[in-house]
Amino acid sequence: AQKVTQAQTEISVVEKEDVTLDCVYETRDTTYYLFWYKQPPSGELVFLIRRNSFDEQNEISGRYSWNFQKSTSSFNFTITASQVVDSAVYFCALSEATISGTASKLTFGTGTRLQVTL
Amino acid sequence: DAEITQSPRHKITETGRQVTLACHQTWNHNNMFWYRQDLGHGLRLIHYSYGVHDTNKGEVSDGYSVSRSNTEDLPLTLESAASSQTSVYFCASSESQGSTGYTFGSGTRLTVV
């Protein structure tokens, strides 16, 4: 069975600080997909990134970066120079591939609430 | 533009009543999913479907049912609503080929009194 652990329940930082959100996953599959979603106070789920298990390259998108390490089963998310608008709940999720190689259902972590203050 | 819509956005119902939450997508996605979100649990899978007439149970399926009669819709039915089913419900859809991501609806907040 697959499992996603986000050990940090809540994080508070002051604006402009860097912050890393941890995500550790468990799966027996060799082909899988990892995701991060943002849920702002308005409640919708906003897709941030998808990574497949064969692509361990780190990715940077503006102030966001992701560090995927298969050796430690981790997919951590860093926000550089945080802003108040980054305040949200962030979810890490895992999807195992079906036999045909397509993604199946998502398993979510419990989320990390990030509070960025002035 | 393609979209996924959930209705109603908010619902209050009484214990024991049957309730149906609607999910409609115009992405032409084969895969559709229902999740519930509760504090401390994240999002948990209730039911899912990989195509018309296909339905599968998720980790918290007791007390819920779904049916898939066409590609666009996956209604979620609470057979006899219980207070433990007070939650925020999210519907999602995804392509069956590749994994470009999952599209989520805006959620339905259900309160069972």
Side-chain angles (χ1 to χ4, degrees), chain B residues 23-55:
Chain B
C23 176
H24 179 81
Q25 52 98 4
T26 57
W27 290 95
N28 200 34
H29 285 164
N30 283 326
N31 302 343
M32 295 185 74
F33 310 85
W34 273 105
Y35 292 87
R36 61 177 288 175
Q37 182 179 11
D38 304 287
L39 197 62
H41 291 280
L43 282 83
R44 292 179 292 175
L45 183 64
I46 305 171
H47 281 286
Y48 59 102
S49 168
Y50 287 151
V52 177
H53 303 310
D54 175 74
T55 60

mmCIF file of all heavy atoms in Angstrom, chain B residues 23-55:
data_model
loop_
_atom_site.group_PDB
_atom_site.id
_atom_site.type_symbol
_atom_site.label_atom_id
_atom_site.label_comp_id
_atom_site.label_asym_id
_atom_site.label_seq_id
_atom_site.Cartn_x
_atom_site.Cartn_y
_atom_site.Cartn_z
ATOM 1 N N CYS B 23 -21.078 15.883 -9.586
ATOM 2 C CA CYS B 23 -19.781 16.227 -10.160
ATOM 3 C C CYS B 23 -19.882 16.082 -11.671
ATOM 4 O O CYS B 23 -20.246 15.003 -12.161
ATOM 5 C CB CYS B 23 -18.676 15.330 -9.613
ATOM 6 S SG CYS B 23 -17.067 15.641 -10.375
ATOM 7 N N HIS B 24 -19.575 17.143 -12.389
ATOM 8 C CA HIS B 24 -19.690 17.154 -13.849
ATOM 9 C C HIS B 24 -18.421 17.734 -14.442
ATOM 10 O O HIS B 24 -17.995 18.817 -14.049
ATOM 11 C CB HIS B 24 -20.901 18.008 -14.260
ATOM 12 C CG HIS B 24 -21.095 18.116 -15.727
ATOM 13 N ND1 HIS B 24 -21.711 17.127 -16.470
ATOM 14 C CD2 HIS B 24 -20.754 19.102 -16.604
ATOM 15 C CE1 HIS B 24 -21.748 17.495 -17.741
ATOM 16 N NE2 HIS B 24 -21.175 18.680 -17.852
ATOM 17 N N GLN B 25 -17.810 16.988 -15.382
ATOM 18 C CA GLN B 25 -16.596 17.497 -16.004
ATOM 19 C C GLN B 25 -16.738 17.498 -17.526
ATOM 20 O O GLN B 25 -17.361 16.612 -18.103
ATOM 21 C CB GLN B 25 -15.361 16.695 -15.569
ATOM 22 C CG GLN B 25 -15.447 15.192 -15.734
ATOM 23 C CD GLN B 25 -14.802 14.642 -17.001
ATOM 24 O OE1 GLN B 25 -14.184 15.371 -17.782
ATOM 25 N NE2 GLN B 25 -14.933 13.334 -17.218
ATOM 26 N N THR B 26 -16.145 18.505 -18.131
ATOM 27 C CA THR B 26 -16.201 18.632 -19.598
ATOM 28 C C THR B 26 -14.817 18.463 -20.208
ATOM 29 O O THR B 26 -14.560 18.912 -21.324
ATOM 30 C CB THR B 26 -16.813 19.985 -19.990
ATOM 31 O OG1 THR B 26 -16.044 21.039 -19.390
ATOM 32 C CG2 THR B 26 -18.259 20.084 -19.544
ATOM 33 N N TRP B 27 -13.911 17.835 -19.469
ATOM 34 C CA TRP B 27 -12.570 17.557 -19.970
ATOM 35 C C TRP B 27 -12.529 16.289 -20.830
ATOM 36 O O TRP B 27 -11.513 16.000 -21.445
ATOM 37 C CB TRP B 27 -11.602 17.365 -18.799
ATOM 38 C CG TRP B 27 -11.297 18.608 -18.040
ATOM 39 C CD1 TRP B 27 -11.905 19.044 -16.899
ATOM 40 C CD2 TRP B 27 -10.311 19.587 -18.355
ATOM 41 N NE1 TRP B 27 -11.366 20.228 -16.484
ATOM 42 C CE2 TRP B 27 -10.377 20.584 -17.360
ATOM 43 C CE3 TRP B 27 -9.382 19.720 -19.389
ATOM 44 C CZ2 TRP B 27 -9.548 21.706 -17.362
ATOM 45 C CZ3 TRP B 27 -8.543 20.827 -19.396
ATOM 46 C CH2 TRP B 27 -8.638 21.805 -18.389
ATOM 47 N N ASN B 28 -13.604 15.511 -20.789
ATOM 48 C CA ASN B 28 -13.648 14.210 -21.460
ATOM 49 C C ASN B 28 -12.630 13.246 -20.837
ATOM 50 O O ASN B 28 -12.055 12.399 -21.528
ATOM 51 C CB ASN B 28 -13.388 14.350 -22.969
ATOM 52 C CG ASN B 28 -13.900 13.133 -23.736
ATOM 53 O OD1 ASN B 28 -14.905 12.530 -23.369
ATOM 54 N ND2 ASN B 28 -13.181 12.761 -24.792
ATOM 55 N N HIS B 29 -12.418 13.400 -19.543
ATOM 56 C CA HIS B 29 -11.520 12.517 -18.821
ATOM 57 C C HIS B 29 -12.214 11.206 -18.500
ATOM 58 O O HIS B 29 -13.387 11.194 -18.102
ATOM 59 C CB HIS B 29 -11.070 13.165 -17.500
ATOM 60 C CG HIS B 29 -10.074 14.247 -17.685
ATOM 61 N ND1 HIS B 29 -9.799 15.152 -16.675
ATOM 62 C CD2 HIS B 29 -9.273 14.573 -18.728
ATOM 63 C CE1 HIS B 29 -8.846 15.991 -17.103
ATOM 64 N NE2 HIS B 29 -8.531 15.659 -18.346
ATOM 65 N N ASN B 30 -11.474 10.105 -18.638
ATOM 66 C CA ASN B 30 -12.037 8.809 -18.264
ATOM 67 C C ASN B 30 -12.048 8.606 -16.754
ATOM 68 O O ASN B 30 -12.917 7.954 -16.208
ATOM 69 C CB ASN B 30 -11.249 7.670 -18.919
ATOM 70 C CG ASN B 30 -11.596 7.499 -20.384
ATOM 71 O OD1 ASN B 30 -12.738 7.708 -20.780
ATOM 72 N ND2 ASN B 30 -10.624 7.138 -21.189
ATOM 73 N N ASN B 31 -11.036 9.130 -16.070
ATOM 74 C CA ASN B 31 -10.889 8.879 -14.624
ATOM 75 C C ASN B 31 -11.585 9.958 -13.807
ATOM 76 O O ASN B 31 -11.389 11.147 -14.053
ATOM 77 C CB ASN B 31 -9.414 8.853 -14.238
ATOM 78 C CG ASN B 31 -8.617 7.813 -15.003
ATOM 79 O OD1 ASN B 31 -9.194 6.895 -15.587
ATOM 80 N ND2 ASN B 31 -7.317 7.950 -14.985
ATOM 81 N N MET B 32 -12.368 9.521 -12.844
ATOM 82 C CA MET B 32 -13.005 10.461 -11.922
ATOM 83 C C MET B 32 -12.910 9.919 -10.505
ATOM 84 O O MET B 32 -12.931 8.698 -10.291
ATOM 85 C CB MET B 32 -14.467 10.720 -12.303
ATOM 86 C CG MET B 32 -14.620 11.432 -13.650
ATOM 87 S SD MET B 32 -16.324 11.861 -14.043
ATOM 88 C CE MET B 32 -16.610 13.241 -12.925
ATOM 89 N N PHE B 33 -12.822 10.834 -9.542
ATOM 90 C CA PHE B 33 -12.556 10.457 -8.155
ATOM 91 C C PHE B 33 -13.383 11.321 -7.204
ATOM 92 O O PHE B 33 -13.645 12.486 -7.495
ATOM 93 C CB PHE B 33 -11.070 10.680 -7.814
ATOM 94 C CG PHE B 33 -10.107 10.078 -8.798
ATOM 95 C CD1 PHE B 33 -9.739 10.775 -9.934
ATOM 96 C CD2 PHE B 33 -9.569 8.823 -8.579
ATOM 97 C CE1 PHE B 33 -8.842 10.226 -10.841
ATOM 98 C CE2 PHE B 33 -8.674 8.260 -9.483
ATOM 99 C CZ PHE B 33 -8.307 8.973 -10.614
ATOM 100 N N TRP B 34 -13.722 10.744 -6.063
ATOM 101 C CA TRP B 34 -14.320 11.501 -4.977
ATOM 102 C C TRP B 34 -13.435 11.365 -3.741
ATOM 103 O O TRP B 34 -13.052 10.252 -3.356
ATOM 104 C CB TRP B 34 -15.713 10.987 -4.631
ATOM 105 C CG TRP B 34 -16.807 11.598 -5.449
ATOM 106 C CD1 TRP B 34 -17.496 11.031 -6.478
ATOM 107 C CD2 TRP B 34 -17.363 12.906 -5.285
ATOM 108 N NE1 TRP B 34 -18.429 11.902 -6.973
ATOM 109 C CE2 TRP B 34 -18.373 13.065 -6.261
ATOM 110 C CE3 TRP B 34 -17.113 13.961 -4.408
ATOM 111 C CZ2 TRP B 34 -19.136 14.226 -6.377
ATOM 112 C CZ3 TRP B 34 -17.860 15.113 -4.532
ATOM 113 C CH2 TRP B 34 -18.867 15.243 -5.503
ATOM 114 N N TYR B 35 -13.135 12.516 -3.121
ATOM 115 C CA TYR B 35 -12.362 12.567 -1.886
ATOM 116 C C TYR B 35 -13.155 13.337 -0.842
ATOM 117 O O TYR B 35 -13.953 14.207 -1.168
ATOM 118 C CB TYR B 35 -11.038 13.301 -2.099
ATOM 119 C CG TYR B 35 -10.049 12.589 -2.991
ATOM 120 C CD1 TYR B 35 -10.092 12.761 -4.368
ATOM 121 C CD2 TYR B 35 -9.077 11.758 -2.448
ATOM 122 C CE1 TYR B 35 -9.175 12.108 -5.197
ATOM 123 C CE2 TYR B 35 -8.160 11.103 -3.265
ATOM 124 C CZ TYR B 35 -8.221 11.286 -4.633
ATOM 125 O OH TYR B 35 -7.325 10.639 -5.441
ATOM 126 N N ARG B 36 -12.869 13.026 0.409
ATOM 127 C CA ARG B 36 -13.356 13.864 1.495
ATOM 128 C C ARG B 36 -12.164 14.436 2.250
ATOM 129 O O ARG B 36 -11.123 13.773 2.388
ATOM 130 C CB ARG B 36 -14.303 13.105 2.437
ATOM 131 C CG ARG B 36 -13.727 11.914 3.135
ATOM 132 C CD ARG B 36 -14.742 11.293 4.109
ATOM 133 N NE ARG B 36 -14.942 12.124 5.298
ATOM 134 C CZ ARG B 36 -15.824 11.867 6.249
ATOM 135 N NH1 ARG B 36 -16.620 10.816 6.152
ATOM 136 N NH2 ARG B 36 -15.937 12.654 7.295
ATOM 137 N N GLN B 37 -12.321 15.670 2.721
ATOM 138 C CA GLN B 37 -11.243 16.340 3.434
ATOM 139 C C GLN B 37 -11.675 16.623 4.851
ATOM 140 O O GLN B 37 -12.678 17.307 5.090
ATOM 141 C CB GLN B 37 -10.843 17.652 2.752
ATOM 142 C CG GLN B 37 -9.686 18.336 3.468
ATOM 143 C CD GLN B 37 -9.245 19.612 2.811
ATOM 144 O OE1 GLN B 37 -9.902 20.139 1.911
ATOM 145 N NE2 GLN B 37 -8.099 20.132 3.216
ATOM 146 N N ASP B 38 -10.903 16.115 5.793
ATOM 147 C CA ASP B 38 -11.165 16.329 7.207
ATOM 148 C C ASP B 38 -9.881 16.748 7.892
ATOM 149 O O ASP B 38 -8.792 16.268 7.542
ATOM 150 C CB ASP B 38 -11.694 15.036 7.852
ATOM 151 C CG ASP B 38 -12.917 14.503 7.152
ATOM 152 O OD1 ASP B 38 -13.983 15.112 7.311
ATOM 153 O OD2 ASP B 38 -12.810 13.480 6.438
ATOM 154 N N LEU B 39 -10.011 17.614 8.878
ATOM 155 C CA LEU B 39 -8.847 18.103 9.591
ATOM 156 C C LEU B 39 -8.056 16.941 10.171
ATOM 157 O O LEU B 39 -8.615 16.045 10.793
ATOM 158 C CB LEU B 39 -9.302 19.050 10.703
ATOM 159 C CG LEU B 39 -8.236 19.959 11.303
ATOM 160 C CD1 LEU B 39 -7.682 20.886 10.238
ATOM 161 C CD2 LEU B 39 -8.808 20.757 12.465
ATOM 162 N N GLY B 40 -6.756 16.956 9.933
ATOM 163 C CA GLY B 40 -5.901 15.913 10.470
ATOM 164 C C GLY B 40 -5.792 14.679 9.607
ATOM 165 O O GLY B 40 -4.985 13.788 9.887
ATOM 166 N N HIS B 41 -6.622 14.617 8.564
ATOM 167 C CA HIS B 41 -6.613 13.438 7.690
ATOM 168 C C HIS B 41 -6.234 13.759 6.247
ATOM 169 O O HIS B 41 -6.043 12.855 5.442
ATOM 170 C CB HIS B 41 -7.981 12.764 7.691
ATOM 171 C CG HIS B 41 -8.332 12.110 8.994
ATOM 172 N ND1 HIS B 41 -7.865 10.867 9.371
ATOM 173 C CD2 HIS B 41 -9.095 12.543 10.022
ATOM 174 C CE1 HIS B 41 -8.337 10.566 10.568
ATOM 175 N NE2 HIS B 41 -9.084 11.559 10.987
ATOM 176 N N GLY B 42 -6.137 14.994 5.912
ATOM 177 C CA GLY B 42 -5.891 15.320 4.520
ATOM 178 C C GLY B 42 -7.088 14.945 3.670
ATOM 179 O O GLY B 42 -8.242 15.016 4.137
ATOM 180 N N LEU B 43 -6.825 14.524 2.451
ATOM 181 C CA LEU B 43 -7.899 14.077 1.565
ATOM 182 C C LEU B 43 -7.856 12.556 1.475
ATOM 183 O O LEU B 43 -6.800 11.973 1.231
ATOM 184 C CB LEU B 43 -7.738 14.677 0.160
ATOM 185 C CG LEU B 43 -8.165 16.129 0.002
ATOM 186 C CD1 LEU B 43 -7.058 17.071 0.430
ATOM 187 C CD2 LEU B 43 -8.562 16.406 -1.441
ATOM 188 N N ARG B 44 -9.007 11.951 1.666
ATOM 189 C CA ARG B 44 -9.097 10.496 1.607
ATOM 190 C C ARG B 44 -10.058 10.074 0.500
ATOM 191 O O ARG B 44 -11.112 10.683 0.323
ATOM 192 C CB ARG B 44 -9.560 9.938 2.959
ATOM 193 C CG ARG B 44 -8.543 10.114 4.080
ATOM 194 C CD ARG B 44 -9.060 9.562 5.384
ATOM 195 N NE ARG B 44 -10.163 10.345 5.898
ATOM 196 C CZ ARG B 44 -10.874 10.029 6.975
ATOM 197 N NH1 ARG B 44 -10.592 8.912 7.640
ATOM 198 N NH2 ARG B 44 -11.866 10.803 7.378
ATOM 199 N N LEU B 45 -9.679 9.024 -0.193
ATOM 200 C CA LEU B 45 -10.417 8.568 -1.358
ATOM 201 C C LEU B 45 -11.668 7.801 -0.950
ATOM 202 O O LEU B 45 -11.611 6.864 -0.144
ATOM 203 C CB LEU B 45 -9.511 7.680 -2.218
ATOM 204 C CG LEU B 45 -10.083 7.172 -3.528
ATOM 205 C CD1 LEU B 45 -10.370 8.337 -4.484
ATOM 206 C CD2 LEU B 45 -9.091 6.194 -4.160
ATOM 207 N N ILE B 46 -12.798 8.183 -1.543
ATOM 208 C CA ILE B 46 -14.064 7.527 -1.226
ATOM 209 C C ILE B 46 -14.401 6.478 -2.294
ATOM 210 O O ILE B 46 -14.572 5.297 -2.007
ATOM 211 C CB ILE B 46 -15.210 8.557 -1.154
ATOM 212 C CG1 ILE B 46 -14.883 9.669 -0.161
ATOM 213 C CG2 ILE B 46 -16.518 7.867 -0.744
ATOM 214 C CD1 ILE B 46 -15.874 10.836 -0.205
ATOM 215 N N HIS B 47 -14.535 6.929 -3.516
ATOM 216 C CA HIS B 47 -14.812 6.053 -4.668
ATOM 217 C C HIS B 47 -14.115 6.633 -5.893
ATOM 218 O O HIS B 47 -13.808 7.821 -5.926
ATOM 219 C CB HIS B 47 -16.318 5.979 -4.967
ATOM 220 C CG HIS B 47 -17.098 5.074 -4.083
ATOM 221 N ND1 HIS B 47 -17.042 3.699 -4.170
ATOM 222 C CD2 HIS B 47 -17.994 5.369 -3.095
ATOM 223 C CE1 HIS B 47 -17.861 3.171 -3.271
ATOM 224 N NE2 HIS B 47 -18.446 4.163 -2.604
ATOM 225 N N TYR B 48 -13.905 5.775 -6.884
ATOM 226 C CA TYR B 48 -13.323 6.258 -8.119
ATOM 227 C C TYR B 48 -13.802 5.425 -9.294
ATOM 228 O O TYR B 48 -14.308 4.314 -9.121
ATOM 229 C CB TYR B 48 -11.790 6.292 -8.055
ATOM 230 C CG TYR B 48 -11.124 4.968 -7.777
ATOM 231 C CD1 TYR B 48 -10.530 4.238 -8.792
ATOM 232 C CD2 TYR B 48 -11.045 4.479 -6.471
ATOM 233 C CE1 TYR B 48 -9.893 3.041 -8.534
ATOM 234 C CE2 TYR B 48 -10.424 3.276 -6.197
ATOM 235 C CZ TYR B 48 -9.840 2.563 -7.222
ATOM 236 O OH TYR B 48 -9.222 1.368 -6.977
ATOM 237 N N SER B 49 -13.596 5.986 -10.487
ATOM 238 C CA SER B 49 -14.062 5.327 -11.707
ATOM 239 C C SER B 49 -13.042 5.552 -12.814
ATOM 240 O O SER B 49 -12.551 6.677 -12.993
ATOM 241 C CB SER B 49 -15.418 5.906 -12.120
ATOM 242 O OG SER B 49 -15.768 5.494 -13.427
ATOM 243 N N TYR B 50 -12.754 4.492 -13.556
ATOM 244 C CA TYR B 50 -11.817 4.613 -14.670
ATOM 245 C C TYR B 50 -12.546 4.647 -16.015
ATOM 246 O O TYR B 50 -11.902 4.607 -17.062
ATOM 247 C CB TYR B 50 -10.808 3.472 -14.657
ATOM 248 C CG TYR B 50 -9.774 3.569 -13.566
ATOM 249 C CD1 TYR B 50 -9.190 2.423 -13.027
ATOM 250 C CD2 TYR B 50 -9.368 4.802 -13.067
ATOM 251 C CE1 TYR B 50 -8.235 2.505 -12.033
ATOM 252 C CE2 TYR B 50 -8.412 4.888 -12.059
ATOM 253 C CZ TYR B 50 -7.842 3.737 -11.556
ATOM 254 O OH TYR B 50 -6.906 3.824 -10.570
ATOM 255 N N GLY B 51 -13.860 4.694 -15.992
ATOM 256 C CA GLY B 51 -14.606 4.776 -17.242
ATOM 257 C C GLY B 51 -16.077 4.486 -17.005
ATOM 258 O O GLY B 51 -16.486 4.133 -15.882
ATOM 259 N N VAL B 52 -16.867 4.621 -18.049
ATOM 260 C CA VAL B 52 -18.311 4.397 -17.955
ATOM 261 C C VAL B 52 -18.584 2.988 -17.450
ATOM 262 O O VAL B 52 -17.957 2.015 -17.913
ATOM 263 C CB VAL B 52 -18.971 4.635 -19.317
ATOM 264 C CG1 VAL B 52 -20.465 4.325 -19.247
ATOM 265 C CG2 VAL B 52 -18.756 6.070 -19.772
ATOM 266 N N HIS B 53 -19.475 2.903 -16.487
ATOM 267 C CA HIS B 53 -19.908 1.663 -15.841
ATOM 268 C C HIS B 53 -18.842 1.042 -14.944
ATOM 269 O O HIS B 53 -19.050 -0.046 -14.393
ATOM 270 C CB HIS B 53 -20.398 0.626 -16.861
ATOM 271 C CG HIS B 53 -21.518 1.111 -17.717
ATOM 272 N ND1 HIS B 53 -22.646 1.698 -17.195
ATOM 273 C CD2 HIS B 53 -21.671 1.137 -19.064
ATOM 274 C CE1 HIS B 53 -23.449 2.060 -18.183
ATOM 275 N NE2 HIS B 53 -22.888 1.735 -19.327
ATOM 276 N N ASP B 54 -17.712 1.700 -14.773
ATOM 277 C CA ASP B 54 -16.674 1.217 -13.865
ATOM 278 C C ASP B 54 -16.697 2.023 -12.576
ATOM 279 O O ASP B 54 -16.673 3.257 -12.618
ATOM 280 C CB ASP B 54 -15.291 1.353 -14.506
ATOM 281 C CG ASP B 54 -14.174 0.976 -13.534
ATOM 282 O OD1 ASP B 54 -14.006 -0.227 -13.283
ATOM 283 O OD2 ASP B 54 -13.488 1.883 -13.014
ATOM 284 N N THR B 55 -16.795 1.352 -11.417
ATOM 285 C CA THR B 55 -16.690 2.040 -10.136
ATOM 286 C C THR B 55 -15.876 1.170 -9.186
ATOM 287 O O THR B 55 -15.900 -0.067 -9.283
ATOM 288 C CB THR B 55 -18.073 2.315 -9.499
ATOM 289 O OG1 THR B 55 -18.744 1.082 -9.276
ATOM 290 C CG2 THR B 55 -18.917 3.224 -10.389
#
